Amino acid sequence: MNAHAKAQILLREDSDGIATLTLNRPEARNPLSEAMLAALSETLAAVANDRSVRAVVLAAAGPVFSAGHDLKEMSARRADPDRGRAYFADILGRCSGVMQQITALPQPVIAAVEGTATAAGCQLVASCDLAVAGEAARFCTPGVHIGLFCSTPMVALSRNLSAKHAMEMLLLGEMVPAQDAARMGLVNRVVPAGEALAEAKRLAAIIASKSAATVKVGKRAFYEQREMGLKTAYDHASAVMVENILARDAEEGIGAFMEKRQPDWRHG
C-alpha cells in the first residue's frame, strides 16, 4: 500500500504540541487490518522522533472506534497450506508490536472514544496511557462468543483492570457501558456524547505544558517499575528520580516553585 493510501486510513493533525491521530475507515468500522497496523506503526515511529510533539490523541471517524482485527482478512488465510498459522502469528505479532509502541512512546497517548471499541479495538484503548469516553461509548472483548478467546487483548486489560473485572469482560463478552468502563478502570473519565475528543485534547494540552523530558522519564519509569517486585521497583524508581533531580528542567522547576514564578522549560 502506498504512502497516500496509508495516510488516508490514518489521519494525523498536529497543533500546539499535540498530534491527533484518527482511524479513518469508518465504513469498515476502523478495523486493525494489515494496512491500519502498518499505518499506525509507521506514524507512531515518526511521532516518537518528533520533538515538537508533547502528547498524542488517538481518535476514530464514524460511529465505531474500532472493531478490532479484520476477521474477513484473517479468515481468507485459512486457505493457505498451513491453514493460516504463519499469517495469524504474524498479524497478531504486528498488532502486539503496535500496542507496545504506544507504551514505549515518549509522549503520553490519550484515547478519545465514541461508539464501540471491541476486541483488539478495546485492547487499543487499554494500551493508551489515558482514555476519555463519550457517555454512549461501549467496550467489549467478545471473542468468547465465536470460539476465539481474546487472549492478546487480555494482556492490556489485565494490566489496567482488576483481575475480576478483566475476567468478567473476557469470560462474558458483554458490552460494557462507558460509566462501568470508568468504574473498572478502563477509561479515566466519561463526558457527554460527542465531547470525548475535546476533553482528550484538553488533557493533552495540560500534558503538553509540562517539561517533555520529565514526562518522558516518568512514563518510561511507570511501565518499567510495574513489572518489577516491590523492592526492585523502589530501587529503580529512586535511581530514576536521582537522575531526574539532576536534570536541567527539574532544577528550573524547583527554582521556579520556590521563587513563585512560571518555569522556563528547555525539555532537558
Side-chain angles (χ1 to χ4, degrees):
M1 178 170 286
N2 61 40
H4 177 71
K6 283 183 181 178
Q8 289 302 109
I9 65 170
L10 181 68
L11 307 178
R12 174 178 172 179
E13 179 185 354
D14 289 28
S15 178
D16 299 324
I18 302 167
T20 301
L21 310 182
T22 304
L23 308 182
N24 192 40
R25 281 193 67 200
E27 75 289 348
R29 307 202 311 163
N30 296 315
L32 297 185
S33 60
E34 294 176 43
M36 185 68 81
L37 289 171
L40 277 167
S41 181
E42 183 179 302
T43 303
L44 289 170
V47 167
N49 293 313
D50 190 338
R51 291 180 62 86
S52 70
V53 177
R54 307 276 186 258
V56 177
V57 171
L58 182 61
V64 174
F65 180 80
S66 175
H69 287 292
D70 188 328
L71 294 181
K72 289 183 179 179
E73 189 175 74
M74 294 178 73
S75 293
R77 301 304 292 264
R78 289 188 183 277
D80 291 357
D82 66 351
R83 298 179 56 239
R85 178 181 293 273
Y87 175 80
F88 299 150
D90 178 67
I91 196 71
L92 289 170
R94 281 195 251 172
C95 184
S96 297
V98 166
M99 304 302 164
Q100 291 173 80
Q101 273 185 279
I102 291 172
T103 300
L105 203 72
Q107 305 92 337
V109 182
I110 307 171
V113 187
E114 303 283 359
T116 56
T118 60
C122 185
Q123 178 186 4
L124 185 58
V125 176
S127 297
C128 291
D129 303 298
L130 302 175
V132 178
E135 60 187 0
R138 297 188 298 165
F139 304 83
C140 185
T141 47
V144 68
H145 297 318
I146 58 172
L148 182 63
F149 201 83
C150 286
S151 297
T152 43
M154 174 179 68
V155 175
L157 279 181
S158 66
R159 281 163 169 74
N160 282 263
L161 281 62
S162 70
K164 293 289 193 298
H165 284 146
M167 286 297 280
E168 179 181 340
M169 289 190 69
L170 293 161
L171 290 172
L172 301 184
E174 295 178 341
M175 281 289 183
V176 174
Q179 291 289 357
D180 286 346
R183 174 177 58 83
M184 290 177 166
L186 180 57
V187 302
N188 294 84
R189 57 191 62 185
V190 179
V191 296
E195 295 184 15
L197 180 57
E199 177 64 6
K201 286 185 175 182
R202 188 184 73 82
L203 298 180
I206 295 172
I207 292 168
S209 73
K210 313 301 182 188
S211 160
T214 302
V215 170
K216 176 182 178 180
V217 166
K219 175 176 172 176
R220 182 175 65 236
F222 176 84
Y223 290 111
E224 288 173 342
Q225 65 81 30
R226 191 172 58 166
E227 305 302 320
M228 299 173 180
L230 184 64
K231 183 181 185 305
T232 304
Y234 268 116
D235 289 345
H236 178 67
S238 294
V240 168
M241 204 159 184
V242 168
E243 296 305 316
N244 192 176
I245 291 169
L246 293 171
R248 185 267 169 200
D249 273 5
E251 184 177 2
E252 164 63 13
I254 293 168
F257 175 77
M258 292 190 297
E259 296 164 16
K260 295 181 171 53
R261 60 176 174 80
Q262 287 297 311
D264 175 22
W265 302 128
R266 302 292 174 83
H267 306 292

